[in-house]
Amino acid sequence: MQTRNTKQRGLVLDAVRARCDHPSADDIYIDVRRLDPKISRGTVYRNLSVLADAGEIMHVRVPAADRYDLRTEKHYHMFCLRCGRVADAPIPYRDELDEGAAAATGFTVGRHRTIFEGVCPECREKEGR
Ligand code: ZN
Ligand code: MN
């Protein structure tokens, strides 16, 4: 039988996988609450952290916020400084940067994380630029 803990973790995982907009922990809390009104914010946050550590989802840190991603393979992100939108950057991951940094330092390098900061097309449109 599923324990309540396992069930809650499953709800949190499903909620992240249901969204492709890089939701914040609060967004996920609001989604999960619809299915389990008794779940606490702390439980949702803790489960997000456990799932990210286990590699089931990815944690993306953007300026002033923590976001979560259903895609766990290495990829880059775009961040809109106006509206806070986070989107995948459709350019290839550059393994050679990891190799170069490793060769230059003697570190083993697992990955690098890159966030491109700027203004998204919707915000540019609103600003008439
Ligand atoms: Zn924007
Ligand atoms: Mn992503």
Side-chain angles (χ1 to χ4, degrees):
M1 204 184 97
Q2 269 198 330
T3 65
R4 174 145 172 87
N5 280 348
T6 315
K7 203 173 156 207
Q8 287 177 324
R9 185 154 308 155
L11 286 175
V12 171
L13 180 57
D14 290 347
V16 174
R17 289 188 171 157
R19 301 181 59 134
C20 36
D21 61 343
H22 303 85
S24 67
D26 247 21
D27 295 332
I28 294 302
Y29 172 62
I30 290 163
D31 289 352
V32 171
R33 276 282 299 261
R34 290 197 193 104
L35 302 167
D36 182 353
K38 287 190 186 141
I39 199 164
S40 73
R41 190 177 296 256
T43 299
V44 170
Y45 280 47
R46 193 164 53 251
N47 277 303
L48 284 168
S49 191
V50 168
L51 289 165
D53 287 347
E56 298 279 333
I57 58 176
M58 189 162 70
H59 172 237
V60 182
R61 179 162 295 130
V62 297
D66 289 313
R67 307 282 284 260
Y68 293 89
D69 196 340
L70 75 164
R71 287 182 64 194
T72 54
E73 78 278 15
K74 297 168 190 170
H75 63 284
Y76 303 138
H77 291 99
M78 310 303 299
F79 177 70
C80 177
L81 295 164
R82 301 278 193 277
C83 68
R85 172 198 317 252
V86 178
D88 291 336
I91 59 175
Y93 183 87
R94 295 180 54 186
D95 287 305
E96 71 272 20
L97 293 181
D98 293 339
E99 289 153 17
T105 62
F107 275 55
T108 56
V109 175
R111 67 171 164 185
H112 59 277
R113 302 199 205 205
T114 297
I115 312 275
F116 297 98
E117 298 181 7
V119 180
C120 77
E122 286 76 6
C123 287
R124 289 182 60 192
E125 181 78 20
K126 272 184 225 148
E127 291 169 11
R129 289 196 294 160

